[in-house]
Amino acid sequence: MDTRLNAARRERELAEARRTVADLLVIGLGATGAGAALDAASRGLSVVAIDAHDIAFGTSRWSSKLIHGGLRYLARGQVGVAWESAVERGRLLRRIAPHLVAAHPYLLPLTPAVSRAQEAAVLAGYRLGDALRAAAGTPRRLLPGPSRVPPGRALALAPALRGDGLRGALVSWDGRVVDDARLVLAIARTAAGHGARVLTRCRALAVSGDGAQVRDELTGEEFTLRARAVINATGVWAGTLVPSVRLRPSRGTHIVLRPGALGGRAVGLHVPIPGELNRFVVVLPQADGRIYAGLTDEPVDGPIPDVPEATEGDVAFLLDVLNSVLAEPIGREEVAGAFAGLRPLLDGAGRTADLSRRHAVLRSRDGVVTVVGGKLTTYRRMAEEAVDAACPHAGPSRTARLPLVGAGPVGPGLPRRLVRRYGAEAAAVHALMRDHPELAEPVALGITRAELVWAVRSEGALDVADLLDRRTRIGLVPEDRAAALPAAEAALAAAG
């Protein structure tokens, strides 16, 4: 099973796709689109999957990096959404991507702003979430249960917290992904291993139930891709291809804090948003020392940009909420970068913050199947339902127990950082460094030149942006991106 993606494979498979009629054409290579390509290919269907840009170019790389059990939805009575999240989280932790998804602890500081009634309600919610974990079959060893800790323990775990009036903290555990873009990449490469033709830089200009008019963004050439069924998995852009699809996008912003900004501890935080019962700013430390804090929920009107931008208002809001629990306030200068993503929320009444994260599978008059809504955690289930709708005569889905590339056993003696990013492929990346010592040189955040070369040879990276903004996340901080640019250019030259 060859899971390698590169420029040569793209050129070969694009030519093949233009000559044949596929069982399924998938448009969009975010988590759901890549998931649909994998689901269909693993059922034995011939699949072509395209994206106007790159794998994980859109919303999927701008998530909170959480693989969660849907506690927020449980609090709103959306039991079905919460149950689906808990089930899919367990599958990712246990079998599908254990090298990329793991449990992480979070503290909710019990400051004077959190009433006793709120504390009781949140703890009850945590316990209900733990009951969902048990019902979904996720063992406690993979996802520990909630607890309450006294003030001294809370400050030991999170020294940056303000001690005045602190009466302790609630500790909860949830899933997190090492890198959301790498999860999507693993899905797409696994699909390629099962025979799907995964083609980036191919923009769908118009779609119908039997194919699409496409432009190769590298050459400008236009052509037709034919298929017996078509899935539109373009997220917030779904309506541009199928105008009958109605969405209410919202912008979620995260800030990126410099290493050491919160004392360098690895525990996460849930910081209550004043005036909200079930919304929090989530603080998530990263292995490279950076800290992500987010997120906002602001409605977006007008044209949908390819890359949304975080506003200064979003940044100020997140800092205000975060500083409400810190002993030493964080200033704007500690914000090294920011990123924003757009949620493809189903149209509905009320605030976007209150809209359900349920998903929908829709069929247009000419037979195009569109899958929208949902969230990263439930990508697999969304993909399965979309393929069921588009290809009703295919066999049953296999992806609930299908490991992604990298999920196999890992040999001894490999650097932990490589294992957490590459899983079973860490040995091959490490061998590249061993055989070419000059490639072992770190570029930024511990990432080496060998990893950039690997991304070009095996992970489908075609340009500098692919390398710095998606195969790695160096580009989240502008000065890191500038420092790594020469190495990225050299990796493209060496691999090509």
Side-chain angles (χ1 to χ4, degrees), residues 438-439 449 452-453 456-457 487-496:
E438 71 279 5
L439 297 182
R449 292 176 179 269
L452 300 181
V453 171
V456 178
R457 292 179 178 176
E489 292 171 339
L492 287 162

Side-chain angles (χ1 to χ4, degrees), residues 24 26 30-40 43 59-60 81 84-85 87-88 91-92 96 187 231-236 238 247 343-346 356-362 369-391 397 399-400:
L24 178 65
V26 179
T32 306
L38 172 57
D39 189 282
R43 300 190 201 195
T59 299
S60 293
V81 177
E84 187 175 70
S85 297
V87 169
E88 294 302 325
R91 286 170 171 159
L92 285 160
I96 294 175
I187 300 166
I231 291 177
N232 172 19
T234 54
V236 290
L247 299 175
R343 304 175 183 87
L345 299 175
L346 296 173
S356 172
R357 297 306 301 275
R358 66 184 176 87
H359 63 270
V361 177
L362 313 169
V369 170
T370 296
V371 54
V372 287
K375 52 194 179 297
L376 181 66
T377 305
T378 57
Y379 82 87
R380 192 209 64 81
R381 181 62 181 165
M382 295 167 63
E384 177 184 340
E385 291 183 13
V387 175
D388 284 344
C391 307
S397 174
T399 54

